Amino acid sequence: MKSTLAVLVLLATAGLAPAAQAAGNIDCELHYTLSGWSAFYKTAEGTGTITCDNGSSIPVKITAKGGGLTVGRTTITDGRGKFTGAYSTNDLLGTYAAAEVHASASRASDAQAMTKGDVSLALAGTGRGWSLGVGFGKFVIERR
């Protein structure tokens, strides 16, 4: 009798627990500044903040390295990025494969899309500088 009562209480308590829900994609954006140079080899560093629709926010450090037929020096001061395909904020951190074509004089602008597994990141930004070329490389996002 006691064991039957204990089982019934356990089942009733389990019925009151909230049902687990499958996690869905989260919508996240990156706001950043990035400054760098290129002369066949391209390097840039910056900082930013990732904010998501689930209320989380992560301050990040950004580095970009690569190469190609590229030359210039730019500073992006109003960069914005949009992530797709992420299920958690940890999915957003790491190394993305990047390819870009760029040309600017005086007022710089940059737009590129990159991927890391199932997660994609589309970037767009404006700033100052000059550049010309075709490049490839990696774009790394780490916690600050």
Side-chain angles (χ1 to χ4, degrees):
M1 177 76 173
K2 283 185 181 180
S3 63
T4 305
L5 184 59
V7 169
L8 288 173
V9 169
L10 183 62
L11 289 173
T13 306
L16 296 176
Q21 296 180 355
N25 284 8
I26 56 174
D27 288 327
C28 300
E29 292 185 353
L30 170 66
H31 298 272
Y32 67 96
T33 61
L34 191 65
S35 181
W37 58 269
S38 64
F40 297 106
Y41 177 77
K42 180 177 180 175
T43 184
E45 293 183 345
T47 59
T49 303
I50 296 173
T51 54
C52 300
D53 65 351
N54 66 2
S56 62
S57 178
I58 306 171
V60 294
K61 174 185 171 187
I62 301 167
T63 55
K65 297 194 184 307
L69 299 174
T70 179
V71 63
R73 180 164 188 75
T74 58
T75 299
I76 302 298
T77 55
D78 185 26
R80 296 183 184 268
K82 176 79 172 150
F83 293 95
T84 57
Y87 288 94
S88 77
T89 53
N90 288 333
D91 293 344
L92 308 173
L93 304 173
T95 302
Y96 292 79
E100 67 176 320
V101 175
H102 54 93
S104 63
S106 184
R107 289 185 57 82
S109 63
D110 188 31
Q112 57 183 307
M114 55 194 71
T115 62
K116 178 184 73 98
D118 293 335
V119 179
S120 295
L121 173 58
L123 296 177
T126 58
R128 296 195 163 291
W130 60 275
S131 67
L132 178 63
V134 177
F136 57 89
K138 64 182 182 176
F139 189 87
V140 181
I141 301 175
E142 304 171 292
R143 288 185 191 270
R144 262 193 286 157

